[in-house]
Amino acid sequence: MSPTNPRILPHGEAAIAEAAALIAAGQCVAVPTETVYGLAADATDSVAVAGIYAAKGRPSFNPLIVHVRDLAAAERIATFDPAARDLATRFWPGPLTLVLPLRADAGIASLVTAGLSTIAIRVPAHRAMQALLAATGKPLAAPSANASGAISPTRAAHVAASLAGRIPLVIDDGATPAGLESTIVMDGHILRPGPLTAAELGLPEAAATTDAITAPGQLASHYAPAKPLRLNAVERNGDEWLIGFGDVAGDDNLSPSGDCVEAAARLFDALHRADSAPPPAIAVAPVPHPGIGAAINDRLRRAAHPH
Ligand code: TXA
Ligand code: MG
């Protein structure tokens, strides 16, 4: 990717067509929503989703929010109880994310949910994100479009500065109206405060924590295998299921060619397969640390020491 990337195109038919073509080709594109600019990729394509983490340089895999056109599309991905459907009916499209049980037949890449059985989903109100959803016909996973550790972008120029050389395209539709990430609700509780307040939603105030923005969502956000997991294994010890990488073949292999983006895309599927295989323990081959490898190793450490 050239150092002059990303290109910034004003919102319109041409920009949406180009963005949709890039997403169909497995790339990620920055697009405004009513909250902040998001970095969107096809949520059904695990390598494309791994590309989001690679572009952000995120050192860990948090589950991502999936964006869909309307409630009907959301109901094909998640299971709604009456309370969730009521919130969706009243506040979608808008800056409300619901964490709901993931449907088994949803077709969402497991890296999106970080292996969890729940999914965070929302119907955005912004015309550019809505146009992109319509043009791609895909659910789009999108975290905020900034490099890891940087603040969330509310203008195309913020995105371009933060992700220079890492993404091909930003759709520019001016400043985002809310400027703050969506309110996240799970089981009638606010996990992350946002533009829609507790009073507006008719829910209790979010529980106070030292890091109210991310901590509650993250506490609930770690899939851990039920079996013991050993790291940096170059061969099997006794009765282990070995998840390989590169030259360490294993029962399964995150990436025979040693590609960390491919390994990230396969990680949670591989952990689930290991958990349901007959051997009582899991071993994982060493994965290099640079780039997205840092996130893979973070996740593996958490899986090895879940508490
Ligand atoms: O406004 C927004 O929500 C923006 C725009 C782009 O839509 N997106 C955004 O996504 O803020 P992201 O990936 O930065 O935030 C996702 C949050 C994280 O705090 C994560 O822990 C939480 O959602 N989350 C996602 N799935 C979850 C799940 N299954 N259970 C609990 N928390 C979850
Ligand atoms: Mg963010």
Side-chain angles (χ1 to χ4, degrees), residues 197-293:
T197 65
E200 286 169 307
L201 293 164
L203 297 174
E205 294 286 344
T209 63
T210 49
D211 182 5
I213 299 302
T214 56
Q218 288 173 355
L219 284 178
S221 68
H222 294 296
Y223 166 76
K227 298 172 183 176
L229 188 148
R230 186 168 67 89
L231 302 177
N232 298 315
V234 291
E235 55 190 22
R236 252 175 233 92
N237 268 356
D239 199 5
E240 287 177 331
W241 173 273
L242 178 59
I243 300 174
F245 177 88
D247 292 340
V248 179
D251 297 288
D252 203 352
N253 196 301
L254 293 173
S255 173
S257 66
D259 175 348
C260 279
V261 172
E262 182 183 35
R266 292 186 179 171
L267 178 64
F268 290 101
D269 290 324
L271 288 174
H272 279 286
R273 265 196 302 277
D275 229 2
S276 54
I282 307 168
V284 188
V287 175
H289 276 78
I292 197 173

Coordinates of all heavy atoms in Angstrom, one line a residue, residues 197-293:
T197 N -28.8 8.1 26.5 CA -28.6 8.0 27.9 C -29.5 7.0 28.6 O -30.4 6.5 28.0 CB -28.9 9.4 28.6 OG1 -30.3 9.6 28.4 CG2 -28.1 10.5 28.0
A198 N -29.1 6.6 29.8 CA -29.9 5.7 30.6 C -31.4 6.1 30.7 O -32.3 5.3 30.5 CB -29.3 5.5 32.0
A199 N -31.6 7.4 30.9 CA -32.9 8.0 31.0 C -33.7 7.8 29.7 O -34.8 7.4 29.7 CB -32.9 9.4 31.4
E200 N -33.0 8.1 28.6 CA -33.7 7.9 27.3 C -34.0 6.5 27.0 O -35.1 6.2 26.5 CB -32.8 8.5 26.2 CG -32.7 10.0 26.1 CD -31.6 10.4 25.2 OE1 -30.4 10.0 25.3 OE2 -31.9 11.3 24.3
L201 N -33.1 5.6 27.4 CA -33.4 4.2 27.2 C -34.3 3.5 28.2 O -34.8 2.5 28.0 CB -32.0 3.4 27.2 CG -31.0 3.8 26.1 CD1 -29.6 3.3 26.4 CD2 -31.5 3.1 24.8
G202 N -34.5 4.2 29.3 CA -35.4 3.7 30.4 C -34.7 2.5 31.1 O -35.3 1.6 31.6
L203 N -33.3 2.6 31.3 CA -32.5 1.6 31.9 C -31.8 2.2 33.1 O -31.6 3.4 33.2 CB -31.5 1.0 30.9 CG -32.1 0.3 29.7 CD1 -31.0 -0.1 28.7 CD2 -32.9 -0.9 30.1
P204 N -31.3 1.3 34.0 CA -30.5 1.9 35.1 C -29.2 2.5 34.6 O -28.7 2.1 33.5 CB -30.2 0.6 36.0 CG -30.9 -0.5 35.4 CD -31.5 -0.1 34.1
E205 N -28.6 3.5 35.3 CA -27.4 4.0 34.9 C -26.3 2.9 34.9 O -26.4 2.0 35.6 CB -26.9 5.1 36.0 CG -27.8 6.3 36.1 CD -27.6 7.3 34.9 OE1 -26.6 7.2 34.2 OE2 -28.5 8.1 34.7
A206 N -25.3 3.1 34.0 CA -24.2 2.2 33.9 C -23.5 2.1 35.3 O -23.3 3.1 36.0 CB -23.2 2.6 32.9
A207 N -23.1 0.8 35.6 CA -22.3 0.7 36.9 C -21.1 1.5 36.8 O -20.4 1.5 35.8 CB -22.0 -0.8 37.1
A208 N -20.7 2.1 37.9 CA -19.5 2.9 37.9 C -18.3 2.0 38.0 O -18.2 1.1 38.7 CB -19.5 3.9 39.1
T209 N -17.3 2.3 37.1 CA -16.0 1.6 37.1 C -15.0 2.6 36.9 O -15.2 3.8 36.5 CB -16.0 0.5 36.0 OG1 -16.0 1.2 34.7 CG2 -17.0 -0.5 36.1
T210 N -13.7 2.2 37.0 CA -12.6 3.1 36.8 C -12.5 3.4 35.3 O -12.0 4.5 34.9 CB -11.3 2.5 37.3 OG1 -11.2 1.2 36.8 CG2 -11.3 2.5 38.8
D211 N -12.9 2.5 34.4 CA -12.8 2.7 33.0 C -14.1 2.4 32.4 O -14.3 1.4 31.8 CB -11.7 1.9 32.4 CG -11.5 2.1 30.9 OD1 -12.2 3.0 30.4 OD2 -10.7 1.4 30.3
A212 N -15.1 3.3 32.6 CA -16.4 3.0 32.2 C -16.6 2.8 30.7 O -17.6 2.2 30.3 CB -17.3 4.2 32.7
I213 N -15.7 3.4 29.9 CA -15.9 3.3 28.5 C -15.7 1.8 28.0 O -16.4 1.3 27.2 CB -14.9 4.2 27.7 CG1 -15.2 5.7 28.2 CG2 -15.1 4.1 26.2 CD1 -16.6 6.1 27.9
T214 N -14.6 1.2 28.5 CA -14.3 -0.1 27.9 C -14.4 -1.3 28.9 O -14.7 -2.4 28.4 CB -12.9 -0.1 27.3 OG1 -12.0 0.2 28.3 CG2 -12.8 0.9 26.1
A215 N -14.2 -1.0 30.1 CA -14.0 -2.1 31.0 C -15.2 -3.1 31.1 O -15.0 -4.3 31.0 CB -13.6 -1.6 32.4
P216 N -16.4 -2.6 31.2 CA -17.5 -3.6 31.4 C -17.7 -4.5 30.2 O -17.9 -5.7 30.3 CB -18.8 -2.7 31.6 CG -18.2 -1.3 32.0 CD -16.9 -1.2 31.3
G217 N -17.5 -3.9 29.0 CA -17.6 -4.7 27.8 C -16.5 -5.7 27.7 O -16.8 -6.8 27.3
Q218 N -15.4 -5.3 28.2 CA -14.2 -6.2 28.1 C -14.3 -7.4 29.1 O -13.9 -8.5 28.8 CB -12.9 -5.5 28.2 CG -12.7 -4.7 26.9 CD -11.5 -3.7 27.0 OE1 -10.9 -3.6 28.0 NE2 -11.2 -3.1 25.9
L219 N -14.9 -7.1 30.3 CA -14.9 -8.1 31.3 C -15.7 -9.3 30.8 O -15.4 -10.4 31.0 CB -15.6 -7.6 32.5 CG -14.8 -6.7 33.4 CD1 -15.6 -6.2 34.6 CD2 -13.6 -7.4 33.9
A220 N -16.8 -9.0 30.0 CA -17.6 -10.1 29.5 C -17.1 -10.7 28.2 O -17.8 -11.5 27.6 CB -19.0 -9.5 29.3
S221 N -15.9 -10.2 27.8 CA -15.6 -10.5 26.4 C -14.5 -11.5 26.1 O -13.8 -11.4 25.1 CB -15.3 -9.2 25.7 OG -14.0 -8.7 26.3
H222 N -14.3 -12.4 27.0 CA -13.2 -13.4 26.8 C -13.7 -14.8 26.7 O -14.1 -15.4 27.7 CB -12.1 -13.2 27.8 CG -11.4 -11.9 27.6 ND1 -10.7 -11.6 26.5 CD2 -11.3 -10.8 28.4 CE1 -10.2 -10.3 26.6 NE2 -10.6 -9.9 27.7
Y223 N -13.5 -15.4 25.6 CA -13.8 -16.8 25.5 C -12.5 -17.5 26.0 O -11.4 -17.2 25.6 CB -14.0 -17.2 24.0 CG -13.9 -18.6 23.7 CD1 -15.0 -19.5 24.1 CD2 -12.8 -19.2 23.2 CE1 -14.9 -20.8 23.9 CE2 -12.7 -20.6 23.0 CZ -13.8 -21.4 23.3 OH -13.7 -22.7 23.2
A224 N -12.7 -18.5 26.8 CA -11.6 -19.3 27.3 C -11.9 -20.8 27.1 O -13.0 -21.2 27.4 CB -11.3 -19.0 28.8
P225 N -11.0 -21.5 26.5 CA -11.2 -23.0 26.4 C -11.4 -23.6 27.7 O -10.8 -23.1 28.7 CB -10.0 -23.5 25.7 CG -9.2 -22.3 25.3 CD -9.7 -21.1 26.1
A226 N -12.1 -24.7 27.8 CA -12.4 -25.4 29.1 C -11.1 -26.2 29.5 O -11.0 -26.6 30.6 CB -13.6 -26.3 28.9
K227 N -10.2 -26.5 28.5 CA -9.1 -27.3 28.8 C -7.8 -26.5 29.1 O -7.7 -25.4 28.6 CB -8.8 -28.2 27.6 CG -9.9 -29.1 27.2 CD -9.7 -29.8 25.9 CE -10.8 -30.7 25.5 NZ -10.6 -31.3 24.2
P228 N -6.8 -27.1 29.8 CA -5.6 -26.5 30.0 C -4.9 -26.2 28.6 O -5.0 -27.0 27.7 CB -4.7 -27.4 30.8 CG -5.5 -28.7 30.8 CD -6.9 -28.4 30.5
L229 N -4.2 -25.1 28.5 CA -3.6 -24.7 27.3 C -2.1 -24.4 27.5 O -1.8 -23.6 28.4 CB -4.3 -23.5 26.7 CG -4.0 -23.1 25.3 CD1 -5.2 -22.5 24.6 CD2 -2.9 -22.0 25.3
R230 N -1.2 -25.0 26.8 CA 0.2 -24.8 26.9 C 0.7 -24.0 25.7 O 0.4 -24.3 24.6 CB 0.9 -26.2 27.0 CG 2.4 -26.1 27.3 CD 2.9 -27.5 27.6 NE 2.9 -28.4 26.4 CZ 3.9 -28.5 25.6 NH1 5.0 -27.8 25.7 NH2 3.8 -29.4 24.5
L231 N 1.6 -23.0 26.0 CA 2.0 -22.1 24.9 C 3.4 -22.5 24.4 O 4.1 -23.2 25.1 CB 2.1 -20.6 25.5 CG 0.8 -20.1 26.0 CD1 1.0 -18.7 26.6 CD2 -0.3 -20.0 24.9
N232 N 3.8 -21.9 23.3 CA 5.1 -22.1 22.7 C 5.5 -23.5 22.6 O 6.7 -23.9 22.9 CB 6.1 -21.3 23.5 CG 5.8 -19.8 23.5 OD1 5.5 -19.3 22.4 ND2 5.8 -19.2 24.6
A233 N 4.6 -24.4 22.2 CA 4.9 -25.8 22.1 C 5.4 -26.1 20.7 O 4.8 -25.8 19.7 CB 3.6 -26.6 22.3
V234 N 6.6 -26.8 20.6 CA 7.1 -27.2 19.3 C 6.8 -28.6 19.0 O 6.9 -29.1 17.9 CB 8.6 -26.9 19.1 CG1 8.9 -25.4 19.1 CG2 9.4 -27.6 20.3
E235 N 6.3 -29.4 20.0 CA 5.8 -30.7 19.8 C 4.8 -31.1 20.8 O 4.7 -30.4 21.9 CB 6.9 -31.7 19.7 CG 7.8 -31.7 20.9 CD 9.1 -32.6 20.8 OE1 9.5 -32.8 19.6 OE2 9.6 -33.0 21.8
R236 N 4.0 -32.2 20.6 CA 3.1 -32.7 21.6 C 3.7 -33.2 22.8 O 4.7 -33.9 22.7 CB 2.3 -33.8 20.9 CG 0.9 -33.5 20.6 CD 0.2 -34.6 19.9 NE -0.3 -34.2 18.6 CZ 0.3 -34.2 17.4 NH1 1.5 -34.7 17.3 NH2 -0.3 -33.7 16.4
N237 N 3.1 -32.9 24.0 CA 3.5 -33.6 25.3 C 2.4 -34.5 25.6 O 1.3 -34.1 26.0 CB 3.6 -32.6 26.4 CG 5.0 -32.0 26.6 OD1 5.9 -32.4 25.9 ND2 5.2 -31.1 27.5
G238 N 2.6 -35.8 25.4 CA 1.6 -36.8 25.8 C 0.3 -36.5 25.0 O 0.4 -36.3 23.8
D239 N -0.8 -36.5 25.7 CA -2.1 -36.5 25.0 C -2.6 -35.1 24.8 O -3.6 -34.7 25.5 CB -3.1 -37.4 25.8 CG -4.3 -37.8 25.0 OD1 -4.3 -37.5 23.8 OD2 -5.2 -38.4 25.6
E240 N -2.0 -34.3 24.0 CA -2.4 -32.9 23.7 C -2.9 -32.8 22.3 O -2.4 -33.5 21.4 CB -1.2 -32.0 23.9 CG -0.8 -31.7 25.3 CD 0.4 -30.8 25.4 OE1 1.3 -30.8 24.5 OE2 0.6 -30.1 26.4
W241 N -3.8 -31.9 22.1 CA -4.2 -31.5 20.7 C -3.3 -30.3 20.4 O -3.3 -29.3 21.1 CB -5.7 -31.0 20.7 CG -6.1 -30.4 19.5 CD1 -6.1 -29.1 19.1 CD2 -6.8 -31.1 18.4 NE1 -6.6 -28.9 17.9 CE2 -7.1 -30.1 17.4 CE3 -7.1 -32.4 18.1 CZ2 -7.7 -30.4 16.2 CZ3 -7.8 -32.7 16.9 CH2 -8.1 -31.7 16.0
L242 N -2.5 -30.4 19.4 CA -1.5 -29.4 19.0 C -2.0 -28.5 17.9 O -2.3 -28.9 16.8 CB -0.2 -30.0 18.6 CG 1.0 -29.0 18.2 CD1 1.3 -28.1 19.3 CD2 2.2 -29.8 17.8
I243 N -2.1 -27.2 18.2 CA -2.5 -26.2 17.2 C -1.1 -25.7 16.7 O -0.4 -25.0 17.4 CB -3.3 -25.0 17.8 CG1 -4.6 -25.5 18.4 CG2 -3.5 -23.9 16.8 CD1 -5.4 -24.5 19.2
G244 N -0.9 -26.0 15.4 CA 0.4 -25.6 14.8 C 0.4 -24.2 14.2 O -0.6 -23.5 14.2
F245 N 1.6 -23.8 13.8 CA 1.8 -22.6 13.1 C 3.1 -22.7 12.3 O 4.1 -23.2 12.8 CB 2.0 -21.4 14.1 CG 2.3 -20.1 13.4 CD1 1.2 -19.3 12.9 CD2 3.6 -19.6 13.1 CE1 1.5 -18.0 12.3 CE2 3.8 -18.4 12.5 CZ 2.8 -17.6 12.1
G246 N 3.0 -22.4 11.0 CA 4.2 -22.5 10.2 C 4.7 -23.9 10.1 O 3.9 -24.9 9.9
D247 N 6.0 -24.1 10.4 CA 6.6 -25.5 10.3 C 6.1 -26.4 11.4 O 6.3 -27.6 11.2 CB 8.1 -25.3 10.4 CG 8.7 -24.6 9.2 OD1 8.0 -24.6 8.2 OD2 9.8 -24.1 9.3
V248 N 5.6 -25.9 12.5 CA 5.0 -26.8 13.5 C 3.7 -27.3 13.0 O 2.7 -26.5 13.1 CB 4.9 -26.1 14.9 CG1 4.3 -27.1 15.9 CG2 6.3 -25.6 15.3
A249 N 3.6 -28.5 12.5 CA 2.4 -28.9 11.7 C 1.1 -29.0 12.6 O 0.2 -28.3 12.4 CB 2.6 -30.2 11.0
G250 N 1.2 -29.8 13.7 CA 0.1 -29.9 14.6 C -1.1 -30.7 14.0 O -1.1 -31.1 12.9
D251 N -2.2 -30.8 14.9 CA -3.4 -31.4 14.5 C -4.2 -30.4 13.6 O -5.1 -30.8 12.8 CB -4.3 -31.7 15.7 CG -3.6 -32.8 16.6 OD1 -3.5 -33.9 16.2 OD2 -3.1 -32.4 17.7
D252 N -3.9 -29.2 13.7 CA -4.6 -28.1 13.1 C -3.4 -27.1 12.8 O -2.4 -27.2 13.5 CB -5.6 -27.5 14.1 CG -6.7 -26.8 13.5 OD1 -6.7 -26.6 12.3 OD2 -7.6 -26.4 14.2
N253 N -3.6 -26.2 11.9 CA -2.5 -25.2 11.7 C -3.1 -23.8 11.4 O -3.9 -23.7 10.6 CB -1.6 -25.7 10.5 CG -0.2 -24.9 10.6 OD1 -0.2 -23.7 10.5 ND2 0.8 -25.7 10.7
L254 N -2.6 -22.9 12.3 CA -3.1 -21.5 12.1 C -2.7 -20.9 10.8 O -3.5 -20.1 10.2 CB -2.6 -20.6 13.3 CG -3.1 -21.0 14.7 CD1 -2.4 -20.1 15.7 CD2 -4.6 -20.8 14.8
S255 N -1.6 -21.2 10.3 CA -1.1 -20.7 9.0 C 0.1 -21.5 8.6 O 1.2 -21.2 9.1 CB -0.8 -19.3 9.0 OG -0.2 -18.9 7.7
P256 N 0.0 -22.5 7.7 CA 1.1 -23.3 7.3 C 2.2 -22.4 6.7 O 3.4 -22.7 6.8 CB 0.6 -24.2 6.2 CG -0.9 -24.4 6.6 CD -1.3 -23.0 7.1
S257 N 1.9 -21.3 6.1 CA 2.9 -20.4 5.5 C 3.4 -19.4 6.5 O 4.3 -18.6 6.1 CB 2.3 -19.7 4.3 OG 1.3 -18.8 4.7
G258 N 3.0 -19.4 7.7 CA 3.5 -18.5 8.7 C 3.0 -17.1 8.6 O 3.7 -16.1 9.0
D259 N 1.8 -16.9 8.1 CA 1.2 -15.6 7.9 C 0.3 -15.3 9.1 O -0.7 -15.9 9.3 CB 0.3 -15.7 6.6 CG -0.5 -14.4 6.3 OD1 -0.6 -13.5 7.2 OD2 -1.0 -14.3 5.2
C260 N 0.7 -14.2 9.8 CA 0.0 -13.9 11.0 C -1.5 -13.4 10.8 O -2.3 -13.5 11.7 CB 0.8 -12.8 11.9 SG 2.1 -13.6 12.8
V261 N -1.7 -12.7 9.7 CA -3.1 -12.3 9.4 C -4.0 -13.5 9.2 O -5.1 -13.6 9.8 CB -3.2 -11.3 8.2 CG1 -4.6 -11.0 7.8 CG2 -2.4 -10.0 8.5
E262 N -3.5 -14.5 8.5 CA -4.3 -15.7 8.3 C -4.4 -16.4 9.7 O -5.5 -16.9 10.0 CB -3.5 -16.6 7.3 CG -4.3 -17.9 7.1 CD -3.5 -18.9 6.2 OE1 -2.3 -18.9 6.2 OE2 -4.2 -19.6 5.4
A263 N -3.4 -16.4 10.5 CA -3.4 -17.1 11.8 C -4.5 -16.4 12.7 O -5.2 -17.1 13.4 CB -2.1 -17.0 12.5
A264 N -4.5 -15.1 12.7 CA -5.6 -14.3 13.4 C -7.0 -14.7 13.0 O -7.9 -15.0 13.8 CB -5.4 -12.8 13.3
A265 N -7.1 -14.8 11.7 CA -8.4 -15.2 11.1 C -8.9 -16.5 11.6 O -10.1 -16.8 11.8 CB -8.4 -15.1 9.6
R266 N -7.9 -17.5 11.8 CA -8.3 -18.8 12.2 C -8.3 -19.1 13.7 O -8.7 -20.2 14.1 CB -7.3 -19.8 11.5 CG -7.5 -19.8 10.0 CD -6.6 -20.9 9.5 NE -6.7 -21.0 8.0 CZ -5.9 -21.7 7.2 NH1 -4.9 -22.4 7.7 NH2 -6.1 -21.7 5.9
L267 N -7.8 -18.2 14.5 CA -7.5 -18.4 15.9 C -8.6 -19.0 16.7 O -8.5 -20.0 17.3 CB -6.9 -17.2 16.5 CG -6.6 -17.3 18.0 CD1 -5.5 -18.3 18.2 CD2 -6.2 -15.9 18.6
F268 N -9.8 -18.3 16.7 CA -10.9 -18.7 17.6 C -11.5 -20.0 17.1 O -12.0 -20.8 17.9 CB -11.9 -17.6 17.7 CG -11.3 -16.4 18.6 CD1 -10.9 -15.3 18.0 CD2 -11.2 -16.5 19.9 CE1 -10.3 -14.3 18.7 CE2 -10.7 -15.5 20.7 CZ -10.2 -14.4 20.1
D269 N -11.6 -20.2 15.8 CA -12.1 -21.4 15.2 C -11.2 -22.6 15.7 O -11.7 -23.7 16.1 CB -12.2 -21.4 13.7 CG -13.2 -20.5 13.2 OD1 -14.3 -20.4 13.8 OD2 -13.0 -19.8 12.2
A270 N -9.9 -22.3 15.7 CA -8.9 -23.4 16.1 C -9.1 -23.7 17.6 O -9.0 -24.9 18.0 CB -7.5 -22.9 15.8
L271 N -9.3 -22.7 18.4 CA -9.5 -22.9 19.8 C -10.8 -23.7 20.1 O -10.8 -24.6 20.9 CB -9.5 -21.6 20.6 CG -8.2 -20.8 20.7 CD1 -8.4 -19.5 21.4 CD2 -7.2 -21.7 21.5
H272 N -11.9 -23.4 19.4 CA -13.1 -24.1 19.5 C -12.9 -25.6 19.1 O -13.4 -26.5 19.8 CB -14.2 -23.5 18.7 CG -14.9 -22.3 19.4 ND1 -15.7 -22.4 20.5 CD2 -14.8 -21.0 19.2 CE1 -16.1 -21.3 20.9 NE2 -15.6 -20.3 20.2
R273 N -12.2 -25.8 18.0 CA -12.0 -27.1 17.5 C -11.2 -27.9 18.5 O -11.5 -29.1 18.8 CB -11.3 -27.2 16.2 CG -12.2 -27.2 15.0 CD -11.4 -27.6 13.7 NE -10.4 -26.7 13.4 CZ -10.5 -25.6 12.7 NH1 -11.7 -25.2 12.3 NH2 -9.5 -24.8 12.5
A274 N -10.2 -27.3 19.1 CA -9.3 -27.9 20.1 C -10.1 -28.3 21.3 O -10.0 -29.4 21.9 CB -8.2 -27.0 20.5
D275 N -11.0 -27.4 21.7 CA -11.9 -27.7 22.9 C -12.8 -28.9 22.7 O -13.1 -29.6 23.6 CB -12.7 -26.4 23.2 CG -12.6 -26.0 24.6 OD1 -11.9 -26.6 25.4 OD2 -13.3 -25.0 25.0
S276 N -13.3 -29.0 21.5 CA -14.2 -30.1 21.2 C -13.6 -31.4 20.7 O -14.2 -32.4 20.5 CB -15.3 -29.7 20.3 OG -14.8 -29.2 19.1
A277 N -12.2 -31.4 20.5 CA -11.5 -32.6 20.1 C -11.3 -33.5 21.3 O -11.4 -33.1 22.5 CB -10.2 -32.2 19.5
P278 N -11.1 -34.8 21.1 CA -11.0 -35.8 22.2 C -9.8 -35.5 23.2 O -10.0 -35.6 24.4 CB -10.8 -37.1 21.6 CG -11.3 -37.0 20.2 CD -11.1 -35.5 19.8
P279 N -8.6 -35.1 22.8 CA -7.5 -34.9 23.8 C -7.9 -34.0 24.9 O -8.6 -33.0 24.7 CB -6.4 -34.4 23.0 CG -6.6 -34.8 21.6 CD -8.1 -34.8 21.4
P280 N -7.4 -34.3 26.2 CA -7.8 -33.5 27.3 C -7.0 -32.2 27.5 O -7.4 -31.4 28.4 CB -7.5 -34.4 28.5 CG -6.3 -35.3 28.0 CD -6.6 -35.4 26.5
A281 N -6.0 -31.9 26.7 CA -5.3 -30.7 26.8 C -4.9 -30.1 25.5 O -4.9 -30.8 24.4 CB -4.0 -31.0 27.6
I282 N -4.6 -28.8 25.5 CA -4.3 -28.1 24.2 C -2.9 -27.6 24.3 O -2.4 -27.0 25.3 CB -5.3 -27.0 24.0 CG1 -6.7 -27.5 24.1 CG2 -5.0 -26.3 22.6 CD1 -7.7 -26.3 24.2
A283 N -2.1 -27.7 23.2 CA -0.8 -27.0 23.1 C -0.9 -26.1 21.8 O -1.5 -26.4 20.9 CB 0.3 -28.0 23.0
V284 N -0.2 -25.0 21.9 CA -0.1 -24.1 20.7 C 1.3 -23.8 20.4 O 2.1 -23.5 21.2 CB -0.9 -22.8 21.0 CG1 -1.0 -22.0 19.7 CG2 -2.3 -23.0 21.6
A285 N 1.6 -23.9 19.1 CA 3.0 -23.6 18.6 C 3.3 -22.1 18.8 O 2.4 -21.2 18.9 CB 3.1 -23.9 17.1
P286 N 4.6 -21.7 18.8 CA 4.9 -20.3 19.0 C 4.5 -19.5 17.8 O 4.5 -20.0 16.6 CB 6.5 -20.3 19.0 CG 6.9 -21.7 19.0 CD 5.7 -22.6 18.8
V287 N 3.9 -18.3 18.0 CA 3.5 -17.4 17.0 C 4.4 -16.1 17.2 O 4.5 -15.6 18.3 CB 2.0 -17.0 17.2 CG1 1.6 -16.0 16.2 CG2 1.2 -18.3 17.0
P288 N 5.0 -15.6 16.1 CA 5.8 -14.4 16.3 C 5.1 -13.2 16.8 O 3.9 -13.1 16.5 CB 6.4 -14.2 14.9 CG 5.6 -15.0 13.9 CD 4.9 -16.1 14.7
H289 N 5.8 -12.3 17.4 CA 5.1 -11.1 18.1 C 4.8 -9.9 17.2 O 3.9 -9.2 17.5 CB 5.9 -10.7 19.3 CG 5.5 -11.6 20.5 ND1 6.0 -12.8 20.7 CD2 4.7 -11.3 21.6 CE1 5.5 -13.3 21.8 NE2 4.7 -12.4 22.4
P290 N 5.6 -9.6 16.2 CA 5.4 -8.3 15.5 C 4.0 -8.2 14.9 O 3.4 -9.2 14.6 CB 6.4 -8.3 14.4 CG 7.4 -9.3 14.8 CD 6.7 -10.4 15.6
G291 N 3.5 -7.0 14.8 CA 2.3 -6.7 14.1 C 1.1 -7.4 14.8 O 1.0 -7.3 16.0
I292 N 0.2 -8.0 14.0 CA -1.0 -8.6 14.6 C -0.6 -9.8 15.5 O -1.4 -10.3 16.2 CB -2.0 -9.0 13.5 CG1 -3.4 -9.2 14.0 CG2 -1.4 -10.1 12.6 CD1 -4.4 -9.4 13.0
G293 N 0.6 -10.3 15.3 CA 1.1 -11.4 16.2 C 1.0 -11.0 17.7 O 0.8 -11.9 18.5

